[in-house]
Amino acid sequence: MSYDSSATRARLLAAAYDEFVRVGFAGARVDRIAAAASANKQAIYAYFGSKEALFDAVLADRLHVLADVVPFTPDDLAGYTGALFDELTADPGLQRLTQWKMLERPEASDQEREAHLSKAGAIAERYGVEVTTAMDAMMIALAAAQSWNMTAAVIRNPLDEDPGKRLANHRAAIVTAVAAVTTALLDERK
């Protein structure tokens, strides 16, 4: 049987994702990641160089997957928010990973900065507003999309409604709110 380096790298990324989501960067252990990936610790350093670089690779990988699943739509920021909400509530791991990053490594990489500026630039161009105004709208949309997972279950559903119905109602509320923000912040600032 031949050695498949791409399969080993993929297993390491998957195991690291699970570990970083569960315990964050500081709590993660490369020996647990290696064991979960059926690899040795040296493979982590050979493929990624360091635990920090592994974390960055995991985050970049998951953000690329998310971008493929939920394409950015500057013409429909409310629709984008709804689609992002759907993905984050279906698999809250990425949101947990980004929260760990903000808590433990709050600096933004050049790649993260450029990705956000690119999206804000597309919104600014579409609506004819300043990039900072567009960035504000995008930050509000991102916060709305993350709101469900950022709130305790007892607060999300205080009246013990049908969970599926409650989730759908919250989704509708955030889409409506972001549409209102888009109108108020972007359309009226032209």
Side-chain angles (χ1 to χ4, degrees):
M1 178 197 267
S2 66
Y3 178 73
D4 185 352
S5 65
S6 63
T8 301
R9 187 178 191 284
R11 286 193 319 273
L12 286 168
L13 284 171
Y17 174 74
D18 292 342
E19 178 81 356
F20 289 133
V21 165
R22 191 173 59 80
V23 296
F25 176 76
R29 299 292 174 259
V30 293
D31 55 333
R32 286 194 303 249
I33 294 168
S38 298
N40 60 48
K41 259 180 20 176
Q42 290 76 21
I44 291 172
Y45 298 107
Y47 285 105
F48 302 101
S50 67
K51 181 174 139 181
E52 293 85 2
L54 175 59
F55 185 91
D56 293 342
V58 167
L59 185 58
D61 179 64
R62 293 301 170 138
L63 290 173
H64 284 122
V65 168
L66 182 64
D68 288 343
V69 173
V70 183
F72 180 66
T73 54
D75 290 340
D76 183 11
L77 198 53
Y80 172 73
T81 303
L84 188 57
F85 173 84
D86 293 341
E87 192 61 28
L88 293 175
T89 55
D91 178 12
L94 176 59
Q95 189 171 338
R96 284 184 55 100
L97 184 68
T98 58
Q99 290 301 311
W100 279 117
K101 189 216 179 278
M102 290 304 301
L103 288 169
E104 298 176 322
R105 301 174 69 209
E107 68 286 345
S109 69
D110 290 341
Q111 182 181 5
E112 289 173 286
R113 184 177 184 278
E114 288 306 314
H116 281 82
L117 280 174
S118 173
K119 289 176 182 172
I123 294 168
E125 183 177 321
R126 160 63 179 88
Y127 291 94
V129 298
E130 296 292 323
V131 170
T132 52
T133 301
M135 186 67 79
D136 288 340
M138 189 175 72
M139 289 168 57
I140 290 167
L142 292 174
Q146 296 177 55
S147 62
W148 186 263
N149 293 334
M150 296 298 292
T151 307
V154 70
I155 297 170
R156 289 191 306 236
N157 194 0
L159 303 177
D160 290 325
E161 296 176 55
D162 171 77
K165 180 179 179 186
R166 180 67 192 108
L167 182 68
N169 287 342
H170 183 75
R171 184 194 192 281
I174 67 164
V175 169
T176 299
V178 171
V181 166
T182 301
T183 299
L185 192 59
L186 299 176
D187 286 340
E188 294 175 8
R189 290 214 182 157
K190 286 183 180 179

